[in-house]
Amino acid sequence: MKQTPGRPGRRPGRAPSLTRDAVADAALAEGIAVFSMPGVAARLGVSHSTLYRYVDSRDDLVRAAVERAAAHTDWPPADLPWRELLTAFADAVWAACDASPGLAQVLLTTPAAPRVMVDRLGGYGVALVRAGLSTRDAAVAVDFVGDLVLSSSVAMRGLDRTVPDAAGGARTAREQYRDAWASAPAGSHPFEAEFAAEETWHGRGWFDDKLAVFLDGLATRIVAAHTPEENA
């Protein structure tokens, strides 16, 4: 009996339209802090086992997703004046966290340093040293600004979570914090108006004020570094 020629069998290997970057993008779309491997596979329309042709584990996929987020970030050039540079760096990291919910939490808890970030931060450190900081202060400055962005981003997103209240209901953390400050007797503390302000509880909150306080302090170190040369 003559056999009807069948379609050629698919050769084993990776799906032709799938790449490690595509898998990482799917993890970002699922939520880098909460994705599951089955969820990423379903989003891509492939089997769970197929993912392991591109990543070794969930942790490896987290690292790949961080690399993709870093590659898509609009990093400022290192030749900006030092204060403008650190401010633009903070804005870039905040924008990356907004673009990829959960990224701030992952960066705070997962050891991942994509090459693009190492290169960029190294360049920023060189610029800060040229501005007058010691290598130690330059490294601390970059690290501090990055940590301030990440922790502030996590804190502001956390205000949206719904938690039980004392009355047995459920309200957002934002509402409960605001009510706690509003219930204090008038004039009982010197900054009640600041906690009552709407902008305190939305957007970036006090982040820009905190950053300004740090940069003002950093400026005194730069001035001190230049003073001996100017008086010589």
Side-chain angles (χ1 to χ4, degrees), residues 1 37-38 133 142 156 168-169 182:
M1 182 175 178
M37 298 296 276
L133 291 175
V142 173
M156 293 308 294

Short mmCIF file of all heavy atoms in Angstrom, two decimals, residues 1 37-38 133 142 156 168-169 182:
data_model
loop_
_atom_site.label_atom_id
_atom_site.label_comp_id
_atom_site.label_asym_id
_atom_site.label_seq_id
_atom_site.Cartn_x
_atom_site.Cartn_y
_atom_site.Cartn_z
N MET A 1 0.86 -1.19 0.00
CA MET A 1 0.00 0.00 0.00
C MET A 1 0.89 1.24 0.00
O MET A 1 1.81 1.39 0.81
CB MET A 1 -0.89 0.03 1.25
CG MET A 1 -1.83 1.19 1.29
SD MET A 1 -2.94 1.06 2.74
CE MET A 1 -3.84 2.60 2.52
N MET A 37 6.56 30.50 35.71
CA MET A 37 7.03 29.93 34.45
C MET A 37 5.85 29.46 33.59
O MET A 37 5.83 29.73 32.39
CB MET A 37 8.02 28.79 34.71
CG MET A 37 9.28 29.22 35.45
SD MET A 37 10.28 30.39 34.51
CE MET A 37 11.22 29.26 33.46
N PRO A 38 4.83 28.78 34.16
CA PRO A 38 3.67 28.42 33.34
C PRO A 38 2.96 29.65 32.77
O PRO A 38 2.47 29.62 31.63
CB PRO A 38 2.77 27.66 34.32
CG PRO A 38 3.71 27.10 35.34
CD PRO A 38 4.76 28.17 35.51
N LEU A 133 34.64 64.51 44.08
CA LEU A 133 34.40 63.52 45.13
C LEU A 133 35.51 62.49 45.17
O LEU A 133 36.16 62.21 44.16
CB LEU A 133 33.06 62.80 44.89
CG LEU A 133 31.77 63.63 45.08
CD1 LEU A 133 30.58 62.79 44.69
CD2 LEU A 133 31.64 64.11 46.51
N VAL A 142 26.23 57.19 43.99
CA VAL A 142 25.47 56.47 42.97
C VAL A 142 24.61 55.38 43.61
O VAL A 142 23.43 55.21 43.28
CB VAL A 142 26.42 55.86 41.92
CG1 VAL A 142 25.65 54.95 40.96
CG2 VAL A 142 27.13 56.96 41.14
N MET A 156 5.80 53.80 47.62
CA MET A 156 4.66 54.48 47.02
C MET A 156 3.69 53.48 46.38
O MET A 156 2.47 53.65 46.49
CB MET A 156 5.14 55.50 45.98
CG MET A 156 5.93 56.67 46.57
SD MET A 156 5.07 57.52 47.94
CE MET A 156 3.64 58.21 47.09
N GLY A 168 -12.56 46.39 61.04
CA GLY A 168 -12.90 45.15 60.37
C GLY A 168 -13.15 45.30 58.89
O GLY A 168 -13.47 44.33 58.20
N GLY A 169 -13.01 46.52 58.38
CA GLY A 169 -13.16 46.74 56.95
C GLY A 169 -11.83 46.59 56.24
O GLY A 169 -10.86 46.07 56.80
N ALA A 182 -4.49 62.48 60.35
CA ALA A 182 -5.59 63.43 60.47
C ALA A 182 -6.25 63.37 61.84
O ALA A 182 -6.84 64.35 62.30
CB ALA A 182 -6.63 63.16 59.38
#
